[in-house]
Amino acid sequence: MGVVTRPSAATDALVLRAWPCGETSAIASLLTRDHGYVKVIAKAARRPLSTLRPLVEPGRLVSVEFSLDPVRELQYLRGGSVELDPLGPAPTLELSAYLLGALELVDRCRPAGALVRDDPGGAAELFGVCDAFLRMLSSGAGSEPVVVFFAFEWELLDRHGVSPELSRCCTCGASRESVPVATRRFSAAEGGLMCGECARGGADEGCRALGDEALAVFDALEGGGLDGARGLALTPVGRREVGGHLHRFLGYHLPGYRLPAALDLLRAGKASAS
Ligand SMILES: [Zn+2]
């Protein structure tokens, strides 16, 4: 009998979710750099000495090898190594909540281009955003986790081609400079900055005030995405405003979005601490 070479893939991946399968195995859903979203089965990964076990922990960046059979829904995880464990050295509640929140968003809101058969470049780009997010979040050097998370949400909107309009009123087109600060609004439904006249005219009853701090943060994110978040610090008021605007915006424009359950954990933690 000749040796049959089975097709396989070797690529970097982010572990999005994992769940038990059978007595000792695990299934993991991965976002890979070269093959988009892939689901793998890790045989016997729940045995204590399994070498596959460290490769199926959600939130880790791994370098993995798996079977590549286009007709199968599940590929076999064969081996690999851990590249980055963001929760490794000093996990905090905040860090884990934003990490898990981001994984939920990536798992639930999949841009069309993140499937390799649609657009290989799109999949690699989405993986690149996740990779940069994890490295920035775990380095602790860039910014507070919440700011890094906001930047990640912005990048995700960008991948979907729906980031907010900031340079003019998204309804009448009046330039931002012509809109008095006191009447400036943010409309999630209409897609960004809104002038006071459009707001009074009923263009979006759900629009909210857009303050200088929030607008400056949005400008930084529009200009540089995750890089734009480097060194940004927010006041508690700014943080609530930016978080609220982004949450409503994502709700309107990102198919499949809902507030990640992981962020509820954070709120519960804060309530019990205060
Ligand atoms: Zn207007």
Side-chain angles (χ1 to χ4, degrees):
M1 275 205 302
V3 176
V4 179
T5 318
R6 291 169 302 170
S8 69
T11 182
D12 294 332
L14 164 63
V15 185
L16 297 174
R17 284 173 63 202
W19 53 97
C21 169
E23 289 286 304
T24 60
S25 298
I27 291 176
S29 101
L30 309 175
L31 172 66
T32 69
R33 188 194 296 276
D34 300 328
H35 302 277
Y37 288 89
V38 173
K39 217 179 256 185
V40 293
I41 178 159
K43 287 288 195 186
R46 283 151 60 226
R47 291 220 170 100
L49 298 178
S50 163
T51 54
L52 299 182
R53 190 187 180 101
L55 305 176
V56 291
E57 291 290 332
R60 288 188 177 177
L61 281 174
V62 291
S63 168
V64 283
E65 240 189 278
F66 50 83
S67 65
L68 200 58
D69 182 344
V71 301
R72 288 182 59 95
E73 200 204 331
L74 270 181
Q75 308 298 337
Y76 288 101
L77 182 64
R78 293 190 180 138
S81 55
V82 176
E83 299 295 313
L84 177 74
D85 176 8
L87 298 178
T92 62
L93 176 63
E94 210 187 9
L95 194 66
S96 347
Y98 288 115
L99 172 66
L100 296 176
L103 298 181
E104 271 184 72
L105 289 182
V106 175
D107 197 35
R108 204 170 320 115
C109 311
R110 306 183 171 197
L115 295 173
V116 167
R117 62 172 179 275
D118 301 336
D119 169 15
E125 220 178 88
L126 180 62
F127 177 82
V129 167
C130 293
D131 184 87
F133 166 74
L134 288 169
R135 291 182 194 281
M136 196 163 165
L137 191 70
S138 62
S139 77
S143 282
E144 295 169 73
V146 62
V147 179
V148 184
F149 181 74
F150 290 159
F152 176 77
E153 290 187 315
W154 188 283
E155 294 266 19
L156 210 54
L157 284 169
D158 216 27
R159 296 282 91 70
H160 282 260
V162 290
S163 49
E165 169 68 59
L166 301 173
S167 62
R168 53 183 54 82
C169 170
C170 58
T171 304
C172 73
S175 77
R176 154 176 164 175
E177 290 70 28
S178 70
V179 178
V181 176
T183 65
R184 194 173 56 207
R185 317 287 285 175
F186 185 82
S187 165
E190 295 298 310
L193 187 143
M194 182 178 275
C195 75
E197 275 171 51
C198 289
R200 272 194 304 279
D204 170 20
E205 298 194 341
C207 68
R208 310 285 171 104
L210 177 59
D212 281 337
E213 185 183 359
L215 185 55
V217 170
F218 284 164
D219 280 338
L221 299 185
E222 182 177 54
L226 281 160
D227 277 332
R230 225 170 272 282
L232 272 186
L234 271 76
T235 64
V237 172
R239 173 178 170 153
R240 262 199 305 279
E241 190 187 326
V242 169
H245 288 329
L246 281 174
H247 169 58
R248 281 185 288 276
F249 197 92
L250 288 153
Y252 271 102
H253 302 284
L254 215 58
Y257 173 84
R258 66 166 189 264
L259 187 73
L263 300 188
D264 277 341
L265 284 176
L266 197 58
R267 264 209 296 258
K270 271 199 190 113
S272 64
S274 61

